Amino acid sequence: GWKDAISTTIINFNNEKMQITWAARELFPGMNVSFSYTFDEGKHKVWKTCPIYLLDQDYNSGCFFKTEGPTLAISIRNSNGSEELFSKRLKSDFYIKPNRPENVTFFWKEDTVTVSCNKPERAVKCLRLELQYKSKFDKDWQSRTSKCCSVGEQGFDPRKCYSFRVRLKRLVPYCNVVNYSSDWEAETFWMNGTLLDSCDDDIKSQSNTVIVLSCLLAVLLMILILLILLCKWQRLQKSVMPAIPDPKYIFTDLFNDHNGNFQEWIDKTDHAMVQTKLEYEEPECIIEAESQQEDKKNSDKQGPQEKIFSFSRADENNDPKVAQAACQMPTSNTITSFAGFQILMNDDMYVLL
């Protein structure tokens, strides 16, 4: 009875190659076994020895051979073949593992994706096409299965990058006693119907966009700060060093209508001016070095229109000629106020104050 309890793994690769394995070290410790098989039926069976052994630490643990029919009989014996340790008959068609889907195509229409592949030559009714996908925000794969060899799914967001993979599956228990599926076809990456190398490219492009936008915002912020500082600097400059008004803009009619002829302009605008004539009498210059008492008397007698000029250097240097020259003033001046300016008019000159 222990012969029937031996566990084996049987795989029929697309009904082309057979692989049968067993746990050699657990089942037959310290013993190297031999394997033989046959696809013939009836009394005249022709047993074939294993062409390719699979090894586990130098012990035979499996056999790889060609599929030659739907019915298979296997036998495991001791190393010289004198004693049979295990035997079994089976239907090889119930252990088929299909190949990967071939010529996989993706068709995008708005939010719907349709995936198709070439139909296999045999057992199409026993096959199902499985589609799995996930976006970069999903942790697990989403699965969709349909008849071979086309499957469609809706609800894809064009702003997301998706990973897709497909494979073929055998129906259980109608076609297979073991749930075998093909290996996954190479994973592909799509975004809004465009094939990408990977979804990392989309993440990098978004990160690059964020970096560019951040740099632009930083530049705009710096320009705004500079403008604010410039405005404050102009205000500070005006408060510390007020601008000197240009008479060209204040006395526009003087330069435009009279070509700068001050006498002609003053005659025509005399009615708009407020004239204040101040008569000055030539004051008597007294040098401080002569008499302090006389200086005090003169200061008491000085009227509102008199002014005594004192020159300390002339006093220190005892140079009466310099002091006398400094006291010479015009005998009559006229001061006119207009538009915030003062105009000093003498007999032969005008001075804008």
Side-chain angles (χ1 to χ4, degrees):
W2 66 272
K3 294 182 180 181
D4 296 333
I6 292 178
S7 176
T8 58
T9 302
I10 304 169
I11 304 175
N12 185 359
F13 292 99
N14 200 40
N15 209 24
E16 297 173 357
K17 297 288 183 179
M18 295 287 300
Q19 176 181 293
I20 300 178
T21 58
W22 56 88
R25 291 183 298 170
E26 290 78 4
L27 296 175
F28 314 109
M31 180 188 303
N32 209 355
V33 298
S34 62
F35 179 86
S36 58
Y37 67 95
T38 182
F39 287 94
D40 298 331
E41 297 184 22
K43 297 180 180 180
H44 303 286
K45 295 180 182 180
V46 179
W47 290 88
K48 298 179 181 180
T49 58
C50 179
I52 302 174
Y53 278 105
L54 305 177
L55 301 179
D56 181 10
Q57 296 184 0
D58 296 332
Y59 287 95
N60 296 335
S61 62
C63 183
F64 191 73
F65 53 96
K66 183 180 178 180
T67 303
E68 299 176 1
T71 304
L72 174 65
I74 62 175
S75 176
I76 299 177
R77 296 174 174 270
N78 57 5
S79 59
N80 57 16
S82 60
E83 182 184 359
E84 186 178 72
L85 304 177
F86 173 75
S87 63
K88 185 175 183 179
R89 291 190 62 195
L90 54 97
K91 287 287 187 179
S92 61
D93 292 346
F94 289 165
Y95 296 87
I96 294 178
K97 179 178 181 180
N99 289 339
R100 292 179 179 179
E102 297 179 354
N103 194 22
V104 178
T105 58
F106 290 80
F107 177 74
W108 289 76
K109 186 177 180 181
E110 297 178 353
D111 65 338
T112 303
V113 179
T114 303
V115 184
S116 59
C117 67
N118 290 346
K119 289 185 178 181
E121 296 179 358
R122 293 175 292 183
V124 177
K125 295 181 179 180
C126 289
L127 295 176
R128 293 292 181 267
L129 182 63
E130 182 182 8
L131 168 67
Q132 287 191 349
Y133 60 90
K134 67 176 180 178
S135 71
K136 58 185 178 181
F137 303 103
D138 299 327
K139 294 182 179 180
D140 300 324
W141 290 94
Q142 307 294 322
S143 184
R144 172 78 172 174
T145 304
S146 182
K147 292 182 179 181
C148 186
C149 292
S150 179
V151 59
E153 185 62 36
Q154 297 179 342
F156 291 97
D157 190 344
R159 298 170 296 178
K160 295 181 180 180
C161 178
Y162 291 90
S163 303
F164 290 91
R165 63 182 185 181
V166 292
R167 67 180 178 180
L168 290 173
K169 299 179 63 176
R170 290 273 295 185
L171 288 177
V172 177
Y174 305 104
C175 299
N176 262 32
V177 295
V178 182
N179 189 11
Y180 281 147
S181 301
S182 70
D183 295 333
W184 290 104
E185 180 61 15
E187 187 175 348
T188 56
F189 307 91
W190 296 81
M191 181 177 180
N192 196 19
T194 303
L195 180 63
L196 303 177
D197 292 335
S198 68
C199 285
D200 294 336
D201 297 339
D202 178 51
I203 297 175
K204 290 180 181 178
S205 63
Q206 291 184 355
S207 63
N208 292 335
T209 303
V210 172
I211 292 173
V212 172
L213 292 177
S214 301
C215 293
L216 290 177
L217 290 176
V219 171
L220 293 176
L221 183 60
M222 291 179 63
I223 293 175
L224 180 61
I225 293 174
L226 290 176
L227 290 176
I228 295 174
L229 293 177
L230 181 60
C231 293
K232 289 187 176 182
W233 169 251
Q234 290 179 350
R235 290 182 181 179
L236 180 62
Q237 191 177 20
K238 288 181 180 180
S239 62
V240 175
M241 296 180 294
I244 300 175
D246 190 349
K248 178 179 179 180
Y249 300 100
I250 299 177
F251 302 101
T252 306
D253 52 349
L254 170 62
F255 296 98
N256 295 338
D257 300 338
H258 303 284
N259 295 325
N261 191 333
F262 186 77
Q263 184 62 46
E264 181 182 344
W265 172 77
I266 202 70
D267 292 340
K268 289 187 178 182
T269 58
D270 186 56
H271 64 278
M273 298 183 181
V274 179
Q275 297 184 357
T276 304
K277 294 185 178 181
L278 299 177
E279 299 294 337
Y280 291 91
E281 294 182 359
E282 183 176 359
E284 182 180 359
C285 293
I286 301 176
I287 302 174
E288 292 180 6
E290 294 178 357
S291 174
Q292 295 182 353
Q293 295 178 356
E294 187 177 357
D295 183 25
K296 183 176 182 181
K297 291 178 181 180
N298 289 335
S299 62
D300 296 335
K301 294 178 181 181
Q302 184 180 0
Q305 295 181 355
E306 294 180 346
K307 186 174 182 181
I308 299 176
F309 295 88
S310 175
F311 296 87
S312 60
R313 281 189 185 177
D315 187 28
E316 291 174 2
N317 298 330
N318 295 323
D319 191 348
K321 294 181 179 182
V322 176
Q324 184 177 359
C327 292
Q328 295 179 358
M329 294 291 293
T331 57
S332 178
N333 295 326
T334 301
I335 298 177
T336 303
S337 299
F338 180 74
F341 289 87
Q342 289 184 340
I343 303 172
L344 174 62
M345 296 182 292
N346 200 358
D347 294 337
D348 57 351
M349 64 182 297
Y350 300 92
V351 179
L352 186 63
L353 303 178

